[in-house]
C-alpha cells in the first residue's frame, strides 16, 4: 500500500527526519573539501563513500539486489539520486557554497512541475505564483554584475541547478515508489551515488581533467567511513520523511539546508552573502513557503 501523506498531528517525525537530512547535507561541503585537499576529487570521494555503504548494505541484506533487478522503476532513483549526489558534492566543493545551495533549492520549482507530471498533483494559480517567484529569485542570483543574461556562468552554478532538478525528481519518485521496500529504495539511491560519480570521475580522468583516486591515510579513511555513516542516516531520514509528506512540503522543510549551509560557510569563509544574494534567496524561499498554503498534508 502506498504511504499516505501525513496529517498535521503525524507530521512531526517526518519533518524532523527531513531537517536531520538537511543538516547533514548543509555541512557536508566541509569534509568534502578536506578530502579534496588530500588529493581526492569530490566525485571520487562520493563514489568511494557510497561504495562503502553498498558493501555494508549487501552484507546486511543481500536479497535487495534481486528486488532492484526486478523493479525497473527503481532505476529512475539510481539515476536521479546518483546525479544529485555527484552534482551537489562537486558544486559545493569547487564553488561558493551559498550560491550553489541557493540554486540547488530551486528544487521546489522542479518539484511542482514533476509532481504535476508524475503524480498528477494539480497546478493551481498559487503554484504558478511560486514558479514566477522562484524564477525571479534565480534571475537575481544569476544576473551578472556587468549585465547580460542570467545564465549559470560557472561550473558550480550549473551543478547547483542540475542537482536541484534531479533532487526534486528523486523526492517525487520516492513518493511514487513509497510502497517498495525501504532497503530496495536505499540500494537504488546508494548505487546511483556510486555509479554516476564513478563514471563521471572516470570520464574526466580519461580527459586528463581529474587525477586518479588516491586513498588518504588512516585519518582520511576514517573520515570517509564517518561521512558514509552520516549519509546513510541522512538517506534513511529522507526516505522516511519524503514518503510521508507531500512533495511540496518536503521541498519546503528541506530549505533548512540553506540555513545550515549558509551559516557554516559564512563562519568558515566558504561563501559570501551580499544584498543581491539575499534578495534572490528571499524570492526562492518565498516561492517554496507558498507550497504549504492550504495545508501541507492534503493529498493531490
Amino acid at each position: 500500500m502506498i504511504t499516505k501523506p501525513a496529517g498535521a498531528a503525524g507530521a512531526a517525525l517526518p519533518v524532523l527526519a527531513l531537517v536531520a537530512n538537511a543538516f547533514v547535507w548543509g555541512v557536508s561541503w566541509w569534509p568534502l573539501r578536506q578530502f579534496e585537499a588530500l588529493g581526492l576529487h569530490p566525485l571520487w570521494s562520493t563514489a568511494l563513500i557510497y561504495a562503502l555503504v553498498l558493501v555494508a548494505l549487501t552484507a546486511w541484506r543481500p536479497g535487495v539486489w534481486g528486488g532492484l533487478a526486478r523493479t525497473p522503476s527503481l532505476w529512475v532513483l539510481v539515476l536521479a539520486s546518483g546525479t544529485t549526489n555527484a552534482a551537489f558534492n562537486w558544486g559545493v566543493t569547487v564553488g561558493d557554497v551559498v550560491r550553489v545551495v541557493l540554486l540547488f533549492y530551486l528544487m521546489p520549482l522542479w518539484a511542482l512541475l514533476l509532481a504535476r507530471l508524475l503524480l498528477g498533483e494539480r497546478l493551481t494559480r498559487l503554484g504558478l505564483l511560486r514558479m514566477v517567484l522562484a524564477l525571479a529569485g534565480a534571475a537575481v542570483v544569476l544576473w551578472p554584475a556587468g549585465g547580460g543574461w542570467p545564465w549559470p556562468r560557472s561550473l558550480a552554478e550549473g551543478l547547483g541547478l542540475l542537482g536541484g532538478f534531479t533532487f526534486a525528481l528523486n523526492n517525487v519518485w520516492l513518493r511514487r515508489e513509497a510502497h517498495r521496500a525501504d532497503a530496495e529504495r536505499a540500494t537504488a539511491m546508494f548505487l546511483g551515488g556510486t555509479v554516476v560519480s564513478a563514471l563521471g570521475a572516470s570520464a574526466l580522468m580519461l580527459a586528463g581533467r581529474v587525477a586518479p583516486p588516491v586513498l588518504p591515510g588512516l585519518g582520511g579513511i576514517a573520515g570517509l567511513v564517518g561521512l558514509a555513516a552520516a549519509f546513510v542516516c541522512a538517506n534513511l531520514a529522507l526516505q522516511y520523511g519524503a514518503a510521508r509528506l507531500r512533495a511540496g512540503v518536503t521541498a519546503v522543510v528541506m530549505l533548512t539546508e540553506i540555513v545550515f549551509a549558509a551559516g557554516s560557510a559564512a563562519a568558515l569563509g566558504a561563501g559570501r552573502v551580499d544584498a543581491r544574494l539575499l534578495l534572490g534567496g528571499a524570492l526562492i524561499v518565498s516561492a517554496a513557503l507558498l507550497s504549504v498554503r492550504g495545508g501541507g498534508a492534503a493529498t493531490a
Side-chain angles (χ1 to χ4, degrees):
M1 179 179 293
I2 298 178
T3 304
K4 295 182 179 179
L13 282 178
V15 167
L16 286 175
L18 292 177
V19 171
N21 175 277
F23 173 79
V24 170
W25 285 104
V27 301
S28 65
W29 63 268
W30 187 84
L32 289 167
R33 291 194 177 193
Q34 306 313 303
F35 296 140
E36 186 187 39
L38 295 174
L40 202 58
H41 189 278
L43 289 180
W44 288 128
S45 297
T46 303
L48 287 171
I49 287 167
Y50 283 113
L52 289 172
V53 175
L54 279 178
V55 170
L57 187 59
T58 301
W60 175 52
R61 296 285 295 274
V64 296
W65 290 102
L68 179 59
R70 293 189 298 270
T71 313
S73 60
L74 287 178
W75 286 87
V76 175
L77 276 182
V78 173
L79 179 61
S81 178
T83 305
T84 298
N85 282 281
F88 181 85
N89 289 352
W90 190 1
V92 295
T93 302
V94 302
D96 182 298
V97 173
V98 179
R99 291 179 66 85
V100 172
V101 171
L102 275 178
L103 293 172
F104 182 83
Y105 273 96
L106 282 172
M107 175 188 61
L109 168 63
W110 314 130
L112 182 72
L113 298 174
L114 290 170
R116 170 64 181 138
L117 178 65
L118 301 175
L119 300 180
E121 292 187 2
R122 188 163 53 92
L123 184 60
T124 64
R125 292 179 180 177
L126 192 61
L128 292 174
L129 177 59
R130 286 167 52 196
M131 293 175 61
V132 171
L133 286 172
L135 290 172
V140 171
V141 171
L142 292 171
W143 209 289
W149 290 99
W151 300 110
R153 294 180 179 269
S154 70
L155 172 64
E157 290 178 353
L159 290 169
L161 287 171
L162 174 62
F165 176 81
T166 54
F167 191 38
L169 175 59
N170 182 85
N171 289 344
V172 170
W173 210 258
L174 279 174
R175 280 279 316 281
R176 185 182 184 275
E177 300 297 314
H179 59 290
R180 307 291 181 189
D182 286 348
E184 292 180 357
R185 291 183 298 167
T187 302
M189 296 171 74
F190 294 138
L191 179 62
T194 303
V195 172
V196 173
S197 295
L199 289 176
S202 299
L204 291 172
M205 183 180 67
L206 292 175
R209 298 181 59 188
V210 169
V214 177
L215 284 178
L218 289 178
I221 293 174
L224 287 172
V225 172
L227 192 55
F231 281 172
V232 169
C233 293
N235 177 280
L236 294 176
L238 173 63
Q239 285 201 61
Y240 178 84
R244 289 163 175 80
L245 298 170
R246 281 184 57 187
V249 177
T250 294
V252 170
V253 177
M254 293 302 293
L255 286 170
T256 54
E257 182 179 338
I258 296 176
V259 178
F260 297 130
S264 60
L268 297 173
R272 183 175 61 89
V273 179
D274 56 22
R276 183 166 60 177
L277 201 63
L278 287 173
L279 174 59
L283 290 169
I284 292 171
V285 171
S286 297
L289 291 176
L290 282 177
S291 65
V292 298
R293 286 286 301 275
T299 57

